[in-house]
Structures are given as structure tokens and as C-alpha cells.
Amino acid sequence: MVKTRGQRRLRSDSRPIYLQLVDALFDWVNEEGLQPGDRVPGEPELARIFEVGRSTVREALVYLEYEGIVNRSQGSHTTLTSLVRQPAMGLEVLEPVEALAARQGWECKTRDLSLTQRPADAVQARKLRVDVGSDVAIIRRTKFTEEGPFALMESIVPDAVKPYDVLLVEFEDSITALLDNVDTLRFAAAEISATIAEGHVADALACGAFGAGSPVLLLEEFFYGDGEAPLAWNLNYFVPGTIRFELLRKVPNVKRSDRGGEGS
């Protein structure tokens, strides 16, 4: 029989409530000392413990079932099947990958960091809405887990947003964290596509069977503040299978409350 504790509130942040609950459930599982094969309380009890509605609990359990963390059988029985989470990046929230890793319990390391300054070419000028020939900084870094490299991240930042000399001093590992301190970072416009690893991308991500000509996922982002011109243009190349991208899509015109008051 699973011991339960009193009510506890989620650590509120900008993510959807069900994702906050997912992290809280992992903390709870560790605190309770549950192991694979143990029963997880039902939806009503979890809703009571975490002070959320049952539909929020249901969304969190569906997420965990998809990740292979729990098994939900007929009769509303939920069993813990694994304590290991695959790195997953939610596309609904703009945050440093380091913060995501810390929250999910895995370590993200930054290596091969390089910063260079050069005149903007025609493509960079058009993307960033600056003059051709104006100074931009190019920041490249490779992100690693314990198993090896999983992403090459490349950010192009206009000198008008952050001078190169300042970037040399202030940049550590995250362009998101840096720009959030420079300006009011409002949102990012992003697009995911598939491409082929060539040149410096293949060199940065080379490990095992991966090399030039291998497919990679490209997450292209434009960061915006209060102005119309982007603060930065980011090209993030991910090795397939090392991290999962997630986006919650809901049916329109469904009324529900974030906390409590939801139908069973």
C-alpha cells in the first residue's frame, strides 16, 4: 500500500500545469521510495495531494505513459515501470536547456565554445534586419550528456543587441539566459526541419556511427523582445534520438480550469 502525504503545491512556472505536475510526481516518487512495479495512487488521490483538477492529473499520466514511466491498465490502475526519463524539450516554453536538464534530472555540459565577430552577410542581414556589413557575433557551442554530444547550437547576435566585447565576458552557456538579462525577452518564433550534417555541424556532433551525411533535426529560432527586429537568430542542430520535442495540442473550445473545478 502506497503511503501518501498531505497536500502539496506545485512549484509554479510558465509551463503548462500538467508539466509542472510531471516534475512534482517525479519528486514525490523519489521521496516515497517507489520502485518499478509499485502502484501509483489513482487520479482522485493525486488530484487531492497536488491540489489540481483530475484532467490535469490525467494529462500528466498520459505524458508519463508515453515516456514509458508508468503503465495504465484497465480499472484505472497505474503502475510505475521506470525511473529513467528520456531528455524531452517542450516547445511551449522558452528556457535554457540547462534549466530543462536540471529539472528532468540529467546533466547538460557545454563544450567547444567559440565566439567570433564578422560582418553580416546578405542572409544574416535579412534574417536579423540589420545592414549588410554590420557587425554580428557568432556563438557556437556543443551540448553533451553523459552519452555524448546531442546538439550543436549556433547563435548570431547583432552588435547593436550585445557588443562582441561584452559577449566575450558575459556569455557562459545559454543565449536564452543572456538575452533575458539584456532585454525583455518576449518570445521566440521557431521552426523544426530535417537536414543533413555537413562541415562544422558534422565535426561537432561526430560520435559513434554519426558523421557527415547523417540526418539531424534543425530547430531554427528567432528571439524577440519589444522591438520588431530579432534579438538573435539561433540554429540548433540535434542528433535524432537523443532528445524528444514535445508540443501539447488541445481540442479548441473546451472549458476547463487550471486548478480544480474540472470534470472527472
Side-chain angles (χ1 to χ4, degrees):
M1 181 176 181
V2 176
K3 296 183 298 181
T4 59
R5 300 179 179 179
Q7 290 182 321
R8 50 196 295 174
R9 290 190 174 276
L10 307 184
R11 294 192 296 269
S12 180
D13 55 41
S14 59
R15 296 175 300 147
I17 297 296
Y18 84 98
L19 289 178
Q20 298 174 35
L21 178 57
V22 166
D23 291 339
L25 283 169
F26 262 92
D27 292 341
W28 182 86
V29 163
N30 289 328
E31 291 171 8
E32 294 294 319
L34 299 187
Q35 297 296 320
D38 289 343
R39 180 81 64 84
V40 177
E43 291 178 9
E45 179 65 4
L46 291 175
R48 184 195 67 79
I49 293 173
F50 294 99
E51 301 183 69
V52 297
R54 286 185 61 178
S55 68
T56 297
V57 174
R58 197 171 298 124
E59 288 176 332
L61 292 178
V62 168
Y63 174 98
L64 291 172
E65 184 176 32
Y66 179 75
E67 276 201 326
I69 303 300
V70 300
N71 179 59
R72 305 176 73 206
S73 60
Q74 291 183 350
S76 300
H77 294 158
T78 301
T79 304
L80 185 67
T81 56
S82 175
L83 299 175
V84 179
R85 302 172 69 183
Q86 181 186 25
M89 179 177 292
L91 298 179
E92 301 144 313
V93 179
L94 183 60
E95 65 177 342
V97 68
E98 287 76 16
L100 178 147
R103 193 175 63 249
Q104 295 183 354
W106 54 280
E107 185 177 6
C108 177
K109 298 180 180 179
T110 301
R111 299 178 185 172
D112 304 325
L113 172 64
S114 69
L115 289 84
T116 58
Q117 185 182 45
R118 64 184 62 173
D121 59 26
V123 174
Q124 293 166 346
R126 176 171 54 83
K127 296 280 190 179
L128 293 168
R129 302 185 190 179
V130 298
D131 294 331
V132 174
S134 61
D135 287 337
V136 296
I138 299 178
I139 308 172
R140 287 178 181 164
R141 62 275 186 205
T142 307
K143 300 293 184 178
F144 283 74
T145 66
E146 293 182 355
E147 297 180 354
F150 70 91
L152 170 67
M153 297 186 174
E154 182 174 309
S155 301
I156 300 95
V157 183
D159 189 76
V161 172
K162 195 73 168 177
Y164 175 72
D165 291 343
V166 178
L167 282 174
L168 287 173
V169 175
E170 295 187 357
F171 185 85
E172 295 182 1
D173 51 27
S174 169
I175 190 65
T176 305
L178 178 73
L179 292 181
D180 201 25
N181 292 328
V182 173
D183 202 329
T184 304
L185 181 58
R186 298 295 188 188
F187 65 94
E191 178 179 319
I192 296 181
S193 59
T195 188
I196 298 299
E198 298 177 330
H200 70 279
V201 176
D203 292 340
L205 298 178
C207 65
F210 186 90
S214 298
V216 291
L217 296 175
L218 170 60
L219 173 63
E220 183 177 6
E221 302 174 298
F222 294 92
F223 283 0
Y224 288 91
D226 292 323
E228 295 184 358
L231 300 174
W233 174 28
N234 300 317
L235 298 167
N236 306 309
Y237 302 89
F238 291 90
V239 178
T242 58
I243 193 167
R244 189 173 71 249
F245 295 99
E246 298 175 338
L247 178 64
L248 178 67
R249 303 179 68 195
K250 293 188 176 182
V251 177
N253 301 323
V254 175
K255 294 182 179 179
R256 62 178 59 186
S257 168
D258 281 342
R259 292 186 184 271
E262 297 155 308
S264 60

